[in-house]
Coordinates of all heavy atoms in Angstrom, one line a residue:
P1 N 78.4 -62.5 65.9 CA 78.5 -63.5 66.9 C 79.9 -64.1 67.0 O 80.6 -64.1 66.1 CB 77.5 -64.6 66.4 CG 76.6 -63.9 65.5 CD 77.4 -62.8 64.9
N2 N 80.2 -64.5 68.2 CA 81.6 -65.0 68.4 C 81.5 -66.5 68.8 O 80.9 -66.9 69.8 CB 82.2 -64.2 69.6 CG 83.7 -64.6 69.8 OD1 84.2 -65.5 69.2 ND2 84.3 -63.8 70.6
G3 N 82.2 -67.3 68.0 CA 82.3 -68.7 68.2 C 83.7 -69.0 68.6 O 84.2 -70.1 68.5
G4 N 84.5 -68.0 69.0 CA 85.9 -68.2 69.4 C 86.8 -67.8 68.2 O 88.0 -67.8 68.4
D5 N 86.3 -67.5 67.1 CA 87.1 -67.2 65.9 C 87.0 -65.8 65.4 O 87.4 -65.5 64.3 CB 86.8 -68.2 64.8 CG 87.2 -69.6 65.1 OD1 88.2 -69.8 65.8 OD2 86.5 -70.5 64.6
G6 N 86.4 -64.9 66.2 CA 86.1 -63.6 65.7 C 85.6 -62.7 66.7 O 85.6 -63.0 67.9
T7 N 85.1 -61.5 66.3 CA 84.6 -60.5 67.2 C 83.2 -60.8 67.7 O 82.4 -61.4 67.0 CB 84.7 -59.1 66.5 OG1 84.3 -58.2 67.5 CG2 83.8 -59.0 65.3
D8 N 82.9 -60.3 68.8 CA 81.5 -60.4 69.3 C 80.9 -59.0 69.5 O 80.0 -58.7 70.2 CB 81.4 -61.2 70.6 CG 82.2 -60.6 71.7 OD1 82.9 -59.6 71.5 OD2 82.0 -61.1 72.9
H9 N 81.5 -58.0 68.8 CA 81.2 -56.6 68.9 C 80.2 -56.1 67.8 O 80.1 -54.9 67.6 CB 82.4 -55.7 68.9 CG 83.3 -56.0 70.1 ND1 83.0 -55.7 71.4 CD2 84.5 -56.7 70.2 CE1 83.9 -56.1 72.2 NE2 84.9 -56.7 71.5
A10 N 79.6 -57.0 67.2 CA 78.5 -56.7 66.2 C 79.0 -56.8 64.8 O 80.2 -56.9 64.5 CB 77.9 -55.3 66.4
W11 N 78.0 -56.8 63.9 CA 78.3 -56.9 62.4 C 78.2 -55.6 61.7 O 78.8 -55.4 60.7 CB 77.2 -57.8 61.8 CG 77.3 -59.3 62.2 CD1 78.4 -60.0 62.4 CD2 76.2 -60.1 62.3 NE1 78.0 -61.3 62.7 CE2 76.7 -61.4 62.7 CE3 74.8 -60.0 62.2 CZ2 75.9 -62.5 62.9 CZ3 74.0 -61.0 62.4 CH2 74.5 -62.3 62.7
G12 N 77.5 -54.7 62.3 CA 77.3 -53.4 61.6 C 77.5 -52.3 62.6 O 77.8 -52.5 63.7
G13 N 77.4 -51.1 62.1 CA 77.6 -49.9 62.9 C 77.6 -48.6 62.1 O 77.1 -48.6 61.0
N14 N 78.0 -47.6 62.7 CA 78.0 -46.3 62.1 C 79.4 -46.0 61.6 O 80.4 -46.3 62.3 CB 77.6 -45.2 63.0 CG 76.2 -45.4 63.5 OD1 75.3 -45.7 62.8 ND2 76.0 -45.3 64.8
Y15 N 79.6 -45.5 60.4 CA 80.9 -45.2 59.8 C 80.9 -43.8 59.2 O 79.9 -43.4 58.6 CB 81.2 -46.2 58.7 CG 81.0 -47.7 59.1 CD1 79.8 -48.3 58.9 CD2 82.0 -48.3 59.8 CE1 79.6 -49.6 59.3 CE2 81.8 -49.6 60.2 CZ 80.6 -50.3 60.0 OH 80.4 -51.6 60.4
M16 N 82.0 -43.2 59.3 CA 82.2 -41.9 58.7 C 83.4 -42.0 57.8 O 84.5 -42.4 58.3 CB 82.4 -40.8 59.7 CG 82.4 -39.4 59.1 SD 82.6 -38.1 60.4 CE 81.2 -38.4 61.4
M17 N 83.3 -41.7 56.5 CA 84.4 -41.8 55.6 C 84.8 -40.3 55.2 O 83.9 -39.5 54.9 CB 84.0 -42.6 54.3 CG 83.6 -44.0 54.6 SD 84.9 -44.9 55.2 CE 84.2 -46.5 55.3
M18 N 86.1 -40.1 55.1 CA 86.6 -38.8 54.7 C 87.7 -39.0 53.7 O 88.4 -40.0 53.7 CB 87.1 -38.0 55.9 CG 86.0 -37.7 56.9 SD 86.8 -36.9 58.3 CE 86.2 -38.0 59.6
G19 N 87.8 -38.0 52.8 CA 88.9 -38.1 51.8 C 88.5 -37.3 50.5 O 87.3 -37.0 50.3
G20 N 89.5 -37.1 49.7 CA 89.2 -36.3 48.5 C 88.3 -36.9 47.5 O 87.6 -36.2 46.8
T21 N 88.3 -38.3 47.4 CA 87.4 -38.9 46.4 C 86.2 -39.5 46.9 O 85.4 -40.2 46.2 CB 88.2 -40.0 45.6 OG1 88.7 -41.0 46.6 CG2 89.4 -39.4 44.9
V22 N 85.9 -39.3 48.2 CA 84.6 -39.8 48.8 C 83.4 -39.0 48.2 O 83.5 -37.8 48.2 CB 84.7 -39.7 50.3 CG1 83.3 -40.0 50.9 CG2 85.8 -40.5 50.9
R23 N 82.4 -39.8 47.8 CA 81.2 -39.1 47.3 C 80.3 -38.9 48.5 O 79.5 -39.7 49.0 CB 80.5 -40.0 46.3 CG 81.2 -40.2 45.0 CD 80.5 -41.1 44.0 NE 80.0 -42.3 44.6 CZ 80.5 -43.5 44.4 NH1 81.6 -43.7 43.5 NH2 80.0 -44.6 44.9
G24 N 80.4 -37.7 49.1 CA 79.8 -37.4 50.4 C 78.3 -37.0 50.3 O 77.7 -37.1 49.2
G25 N 77.8 -36.6 51.4 CA 76.4 -36.1 51.5 C 75.4 -37.2 51.4 O 74.2 -37.0 51.0
Q26 N 75.7 -38.4 51.7 CA 74.8 -39.6 51.6 C 74.7 -40.3 52.9 O 75.6 -40.4 53.7 CB 75.4 -40.6 50.6 CG 75.6 -40.0 49.2 CD 76.3 -41.0 48.3 OE1 75.6 -42.0 47.9 NE2 77.5 -40.8 48.0
V27 N 73.5 -40.9 53.2 CA 73.4 -41.9 54.2 C 73.1 -43.2 53.5 O 72.1 -43.2 52.7 CB 72.2 -41.5 55.2 CG1 72.0 -42.6 56.2 CG2 72.5 -40.2 55.9
L28 N 73.9 -44.2 53.7 CA 73.8 -45.4 53.0 C 73.3 -46.5 53.9 O 73.6 -46.5 55.1 CB 75.1 -45.8 52.3 CG 75.7 -44.7 51.4 CD1 77.1 -45.1 51.0 CD2 74.8 -44.5 50.2
G29 N 72.7 -47.5 53.4 CA 72.1 -48.6 54.2 C 70.7 -48.4 54.5 O 70.1 -47.4 54.1
T30 N 70.1 -49.3 55.2 CA 68.7 -49.2 55.5 C 68.5 -49.5 57.0 O 69.2 -50.3 57.6 CB 67.8 -50.1 54.7 OG1 68.2 -51.5 54.9 CG2 67.8 -49.8 53.2
Y31 N 67.5 -48.9 57.6 CA 67.1 -49.1 59.0 C 66.0 -50.1 59.0 O 65.1 -50.0 58.2 CB 66.7 -47.8 59.6 CG 66.6 -47.8 61.1 CD1 67.7 -47.7 61.9 CD2 65.4 -47.9 61.8 CE1 67.7 -47.7 63.3 CE2 65.3 -47.9 63.1 CZ 66.5 -47.8 63.9 OH 66.4 -47.9 65.3
P32 N 66.0 -51.1 60.0 CA 65.0 -52.1 60.0 C 63.6 -51.5 60.2 O 63.4 -50.5 61.0 CB 65.3 -52.9 61.2 CG 66.8 -52.7 61.5 CD 67.0 -51.3 61.0
D33 N 62.6 -52.0 59.5 CA 61.2 -51.5 59.6 C 60.6 -52.0 60.9 O 59.7 -51.3 61.5 CB 60.4 -51.9 58.5 CG 60.8 -51.3 57.2 OD1 61.2 -50.1 57.2 OD2 60.7 -52.0 56.1
V34 N 60.9 -53.2 61.4 CA 60.3 -53.8 62.6 C 61.4 -54.0 63.6 O 62.3 -54.8 63.3 CB 59.6 -55.1 62.2 CG1 58.9 -55.7 63.4 CG2 58.5 -54.8 61.1
L35 N 61.3 -53.4 64.8 CA 62.3 -53.6 65.8 C 61.8 -54.5 67.0 O 62.4 -54.6 68.0 CB 62.8 -52.3 66.4 CG 63.6 -51.5 65.4 CD1 63.9 -50.1 65.9 CD2 64.9 -52.2 65.0
T36 N 60.6 -55.1 66.8 CA 60.0 -55.9 67.9 C 60.7 -57.3 67.8 O 61.4 -57.6 66.9 CB 58.5 -56.1 67.7 OG1 58.3 -56.8 66.5 CG2 57.8 -54.8 67.7
D37 N 60.5 -58.1 68.8 CA 61.1 -59.4 68.8 C 60.7 -60.3 67.7 O 61.4 -61.3 67.3 CB 60.8 -60.2 70.1 CG 61.5 -59.6 71.3 OD1 62.5 -58.9 71.2 OD2 61.0 -59.8 72.5
D38 N 59.6 -60.0 67.0 CA 59.1 -60.7 65.9 C 59.6 -60.2 64.5 O 59.3 -60.7 63.5 CB 57.6 -60.7 65.8 CG 57.0 -61.3 67.0 OD1 57.6 -62.3 67.6 OD2 55.9 -60.9 67.5
G39 N 60.5 -59.1 64.6 CA 61.0 -58.6 63.3 C 61.9 -59.5 62.6 O 62.6 -60.4 63.2
P40 N 61.9 -59.5 61.3 CA 62.7 -60.5 60.5 C 64.2 -60.4 60.6 O 64.9 -61.3 60.3 CB 62.3 -60.2 59.0 CG 61.8 -58.8 59.1 CD 61.2 -58.6 60.4
L41 N 64.7 -59.2 61.1 CA 66.1 -59.0 61.3 C 66.5 -59.1 62.8 O 67.7 -58.8 63.1 CB 66.5 -57.7 60.7 CG 66.3 -57.5 59.2 CD1 66.7 -56.1 58.8 CD2 67.1 -58.6 58.4
I42 N 65.6 -59.5 63.7 CA 65.9 -59.5 65.1 C 66.2 -60.9 65.5 O 65.5 -61.9 65.3 CB 64.7 -59.0 65.9 CG1 64.2 -57.6 65.4 CG2 65.0 -58.9 67.4 CD1 65.3 -56.5 65.5
L43 N 67.4 -61.0 66.2 CA 67.7 -62.3 66.9 C 67.5 -62.2 68.3 O 67.0 -61.2 68.8 CB 69.2 -62.6 66.6 CG 69.7 -62.7 65.2 CD1 71.2 -62.9 65.1 CD2 69.0 -63.9 64.5
Q44 N 67.7 -63.3 69.1 CA 67.5 -63.2 70.5 C 68.4 -62.2 71.2 O 69.4 -61.8 70.6 CB 67.6 -64.6 71.1 CG 69.0 -65.1 71.2 CD 69.4 -65.9 70.0 OE1 68.8 -65.9 68.9 NE2 70.6 -66.5 70.0
R45 N 68.0 -61.7 72.4 CA 68.8 -60.8 73.2 C 69.0 -59.5 72.5 O 70.1 -58.9 72.8 CB 70.1 -61.5 73.6 CG 69.9 -62.7 74.5 CD 71.2 -63.4 75.0 NE 72.4 -62.7 74.6 CZ 73.5 -63.4 74.3 NH1 73.5 -64.7 74.3 NH2 74.6 -62.7 74.0
G46 N 68.1 -59.0 71.7 CA 68.2 -57.7 71.1 C 69.2 -57.5 70.0 O 69.5 -56.4 69.6
R47 N 69.8 -58.6 69.5 CA 70.7 -58.5 68.4 C 70.0 -58.3 67.1 O 69.0 -59.0 66.8 CB 71.6 -59.7 68.3 CG 72.6 -59.8 69.5 CD 73.5 -61.0 69.4 NE 72.7 -62.2 69.5 CZ 73.1 -63.4 69.1 NH1 74.3 -63.5 68.6 NH2 72.3 -64.4 69.2
V48 N 70.5 -57.5 66.2 CA 69.9 -57.2 64.9 C 70.8 -57.6 63.8 O 72.0 -57.2 63.8 CB 69.6 -55.6 64.8 CG1 68.9 -55.3 63.5 CG2 68.7 -55.2 66.0
I49 N 70.3 -58.3 62.9 CA 71.1 -58.6 61.7 C 71.2 -57.4 60.8 O 70.2 -56.8 60.5 CB 70.5 -59.8 60.9 CG1 70.4 -61.0 61.7 CG2 71.3 -60.1 59.6 CD1 69.6 -62.2 61.1
P50 N 72.4 -56.9 60.5 CA 72.5 -55.7 59.7 C 72.1 -55.9 58.3 O 72.3 -57.0 57.7 CB 74.0 -55.3 59.8 CG 74.7 -56.7 60.0 CD 73.7 -57.5 60.8
T51 N 71.6 -54.8 57.7 CA 71.4 -54.9 56.2 C 72.7 -54.4 55.5 O 72.9 -54.7 54.3 CB 70.3 -54.0 55.8 OG1 70.5 -52.6 56.3 CG2 69.0 -54.4 56.4
T52 N 73.6 -53.8 56.2 CA 74.9 -53.3 55.7 C 75.9 -53.7 56.7 O 76.0 -53.2 57.8 CB 74.9 -51.8 55.5 OG1 73.8 -51.4 54.7 CG2 76.2 -51.4 54.8
S53 N 76.7 -54.7 56.4 CA 77.8 -55.2 57.3 C 79.1 -54.4 57.1 O 79.3 -53.8 56.0 CB 78.1 -56.6 56.9 OG 79.2 -57.1 57.6
W54 N 79.9 -54.4 58.1 CA 81.2 -53.7 58.0 C 82.0 -54.4 56.9 O 82.8 -53.7 56.2 CB 82.0 -53.7 59.3 CG 82.5 -55.0 59.7 CD1 81.9 -56.0 60.5 CD2 83.8 -55.6 59.3 NE1 82.7 -57.1 60.6 CE2 83.9 -56.9 59.9 CE3 84.8 -55.1 58.5 CZ2 85.0 -57.7 59.7 CZ3 85.9 -56.0 58.4 CH2 86.0 -57.2 59.0
D55 N 81.7 -55.7 56.6 CA 82.5 -56.4 55.5 C 82.3 -55.7 54.2 O 83.2 -55.6 53.4 CB 82.1 -57.8 55.4 CG 82.4 -58.6 56.6 OD1 81.7 -58.6 57.6 OD2 83.5 -59.3 56.6
V56 N 81.1 -55.3 53.9 CA 80.8 -54.7 52.5 C 81.4 -53.3 52.4 O 81.7 -52.8 51.3 CB 79.3 -54.7 52.2 CG1 78.7 -56.1 52.1 CG2 78.5 -53.8 53.1
I57 N 81.6 -52.6 53.5 CA 82.2 -51.3 53.6 C 83.7 -51.5 53.5 O 84.4 -50.9 52.7 CB 81.8 -50.5 54.8 CG1 80.3 -50.2 54.8 CG2 82.6 -49.2 54.9 CD1 79.8 -49.7 56.0
F58 N 84.3 -52.4 54.3 CA 85.7 -52.6 54.4 C 86.3 -53.2 53.1 O 87.4 -53.0 52.8 CB 86.1 -53.4 55.6 CG 87.6 -53.4 55.9 CD1 88.1 -52.2 56.4 CD2 88.4 -54.5 55.6 CE1 89.5 -52.2 56.7 CE2 89.7 -54.4 55.8 CZ 90.3 -53.3 56.4
A59 N 85.5 -54.0 52.4 CA 85.9 -54.6 51.1 C 86.5 -53.6 50.1 O 87.5 -53.8 49.5 CB 84.8 -55.4 50.5
G60 N 85.7 -52.4 50.0 CA 86.2 -51.4 49.1 C 87.5 -50.8 49.6 O 88.4 -50.4 48.8
I61 N 87.6 -50.6 50.9 CA 88.9 -50.0 51.4 C 90.0 -51.0 51.2 O 91.1 -50.6 50.9 CB 88.7 -49.7 52.9 CG1 87.6 -48.6 53.1 CG2 90.0 -49.3 53.6 CD1 87.2 -48.4 54.5
A62 N 89.7 -52.3 51.5 CA 90.8 -53.3 51.3 C 91.2 -53.4 49.8 O 92.4 -53.5 49.6 CB 90.2 -54.7 51.7
E63 N 90.3 -53.3 48.9 CA 90.7 -53.3 47.5 C 91.5 -52.1 47.1 O 92.6 -52.2 46.5 CB 89.5 -53.3 46.6 CG 88.8 -54.7 46.5 CD 87.6 -54.7 45.6 OE1 86.7 -53.8 45.7 OE2 87.5 -55.7 44.8
W64 N 91.1 -50.9 47.7 CA 91.9 -49.7 47.5 C 93.3 -49.8 48.0 O 94.3 -49.3 47.5 CB 91.2 -48.5 48.1 CG 91.9 -47.2 48.1 CD1 92.0 -46.3 47.1 CD2 92.7 -46.7 49.2 NE1 92.8 -45.3 47.5 CE2 93.3 -45.5 48.8 CE3 93.0 -47.2 50.5 CZ2 94.1 -44.7 49.6 CZ3 93.8 -46.4 51.3 CH2 94.4 -45.2 50.8
A65 N 93.4 -50.6 49.2 CA 94.7 -50.8 49.8 C 95.6 -51.8 49.1 O 96.7 -52.1 49.5 CB 94.6 -51.1 51.3
G66 N 95.0 -52.5 48.1 CA 95.8 -53.5 47.3 C 95.5 -54.9 47.6 O 96.2 -55.8 47.1
V67 N 94.5 -55.2 48.4 CA 94.1 -56.6 48.6 C 93.5 -57.2 47.3 O 92.5 -56.6 46.8 CB 93.1 -56.8 49.8 CG1 92.6 -58.2 50.0 CG2 93.7 -56.3 51.1
P68 N 94.0 -58.3 46.8 CA 93.5 -58.9 45.6 C 92.0 -59.4 45.8 O 91.7 -59.8 46.9 CB 94.4 -60.1 45.3 CG 95.6 -59.9 46.2 CD 95.2 -59.0 47.3
S69 N 91.2 -59.3 44.8 CA 89.8 -59.7 44.9 C 89.7 -61.1 45.4 O 88.8 -61.4 46.2 CB 89.1 -59.6 43.5 OG 89.1 -58.3 43.1
A70 N 90.6 -62.0 45.0 CA 90.6 -63.4 45.4 C 90.8 -63.6 47.0 O 90.4 -64.6 47.5 CB 91.6 -64.2 44.7
S71 N 91.3 -62.5 47.6 CA 91.6 -62.6 49.0 C 90.6 -61.9 49.9 O 90.7 -61.9 51.1 CB 93.0 -62.0 49.3 OG 94.0 -62.8 48.7
L72 N 89.6 -61.2 49.3 CA 88.6 -60.5 50.0 C 87.8 -61.3 51.0 O 87.5 -60.9 52.1 CB 87.7 -59.7 49.1 CG 88.3 -58.5 48.4 CD1 87.2 -57.9 47.5 CD2 88.7 -57.5 49.4
G73 N 87.6 -62.6 50.7 CA 86.8 -63.5 51.6 C 87.6 -63.8 52.8 O 87.0 -64.1 53.9
Y74 N 88.9 -63.8 52.7 CA 89.8 -64.0 53.9 C 89.8 -62.7 54.8 O 89.7 -62.8 56.0 CB 91.2 -64.4 53.5 CG 92.1 -64.6 54.6 CD1 92.1 -65.7 55.4 CD2 93.1 -63.6 54.9 CE1 92.9 -65.9 56.4 CE2 94.0 -63.8 56.0 CZ 93.9 -65.0 56.7 OH 94.7 -65.2 57.8
V75 N 89.9 -61.6 54.2 CA 90.0 -60.3 54.9 C 88.6 -59.9 55.4 O 88.5 -59.4 56.6 CB 90.5 -59.2 53.9 CG1 90.5 -57.8 54.6 CG2 92.0 -59.5 53.5
C76 N 87.6 -60.2 54.7 CA 86.2 -59.9 55.1 C 85.4 -61.2 55.1 O 84.7 -61.5 54.1 CB 85.6 -58.9 54.1 SG 86.5 -57.4 53.9
P77 N 85.5 -62.0 56.2 CA 84.9 -63.3 56.2 C 83.4 -63.4 56.0 O 82.9 -64.4 55.7 CB 85.3 -63.9 57.5 CG 85.6 -62.7 58.4 CD 86.1 -61.6 57.4
N78 N 82.7 -62.3 56.3 CA 81.2 -62.4 56.1 C 80.7 -61.8 54.8 O 79.5 -61.6 54.6 CB 80.5 -61.7 57.3 CG 80.7 -62.4 58.6 OD1 80.5 -63.6 58.6 ND2 81.1 -61.7 59.6
L79 N 81.7 -61.4 53.9 CA 81.3 -60.7 52.7 C 80.4 -61.5 51.8 O 79.5 -61.0 51.2 CB 82.6 -60.5 51.9 CG 82.5 -59.5 50.7 CD1 82.0 -58.1 51.2 CD2 83.9 -59.4 50.1
D80 N 80.5 -62.8 51.8 CA 79.6 -63.7 51.0 C 78.2 -63.7 51.5 O 77.3 -64.3 50.8 CB 80.2 -65.1 50.8 CG 80.3 -65.8 52.1 OD1 80.2 -65.2 53.2 OD2 80.3 -67.1 52.0
K81 N 77.9 -63.2 52.7 CA 76.6 -63.3 53.3 C 75.7 -62.1 52.8 O 74.5 -62.0 53.2 CB 76.7 -63.4 54.8 CG 77.3 -64.7 55.2 CD 77.4 -64.7 56.7 CE 78.0 -66.0 57.2 NZ 79.1 -66.5 56.6
F82 N 76.3 -61.2 52.1 CA 75.6 -60.0 51.6 C 75.8 -59.8 50.1 O 76.8 -60.2 49.6 CB 76.2 -58.7 52.3 CG 76.0 -58.7 53.8 CD1 76.9 -59.4 54.7 CD2 74.8 -58.2 54.4 CE1 76.7 -59.4 56.0 CE2 74.6 -58.2 55.8 CZ 75.5 -58.8 56.6
P83 N 74.7 -59.3 49.4 CA 74.8 -59.2 48.0 C 76.0 -58.3 47.5 O 76.3 -57.3 48.2 CB 73.5 -58.7 47.6 CG 72.8 -58.2 48.8 CD 73.5 -58.8 50.0
E84 N 76.6 -58.7 46.4 CA 77.7 -57.9 45.9 C 77.3 -56.5 45.6 O 78.0 -55.6 45.7 CB 78.2 -58.6 44.6 CG 79.5 -58.0 44.2 CD 80.2 -58.8 43.1 OE1 80.1 -60.0 43.1 OE2 81.0 -58.2 42.3
S85 N 76.0 -56.3 45.2 CA 75.5 -55.0 44.9 C 75.5 -54.1 46.1 O 75.4 -52.8 46.0 CB 74.1 -55.1 44.4 OG 73.2 -55.6 45.3
S86 N 75.6 -54.6 47.3 CA 75.7 -53.8 48.6 C 77.0 -53.3 48.9 O 77.2 -52.5 49.8 CB 75.1 -54.6 49.7 OG 76.0 -55.6 50.1
R87 N 78.1 -53.7 48.1 CA 79.4 -53.2 48.4 C 79.6 -51.8 48.2 O 79.1 -51.2 47.2 CB 80.5 -54.0 47.6 CG 80.5 -55.5 48.0 CD 81.6 -56.2 47.3 NE 81.5 -57.6 47.5 CZ 82.3 -58.5 46.9 NH1 83.2 -58.1 46.1 NH2 82.1 -59.8 47.2
F88 N 80.4 -51.1 49.0 CA 80.8 -49.7 48.8 C 82.1 -49.7 48.1 O 83.1 -50.2 48.5 CB 80.9 -49.0 50.2 CG 79.6 -48.9 50.9 CD1 78.5 -49.8 50.7 CD2 79.4 -47.9 51.8 CE1 77.4 -49.7 51.4 CE2 78.2 -47.8 52.5 CZ 77.2 -48.7 52.3
T89 N 82.1 -49.0 46.9 CA 83.3 -48.9 46.1 C 83.6 -47.5 45.9 O 82.8 -46.6 46.0 CB 83.2 -49.7 44.8 OG1 82.1 -49.2 44.1 CG2 83.0 -51.2 45.1

């Protein structure tokens, strides 16, 4: 959601990672069980709350690039809304 301070292009999406140390051959994250308007992850106007945010994926990339752990909340502002166990490292 966009309140004027960020993107309105969604919280989640599809990602493809490539590189020598990537543990490939996996599909990570979960697909919502209920996609009706009454589903627990469905907001109005067809928006779906992701179970895997780009923040939890990008946090691992940011750490690899040298961002200190104390600064991850600034770089990935929604990181605290998802469990630490969901981070991709």
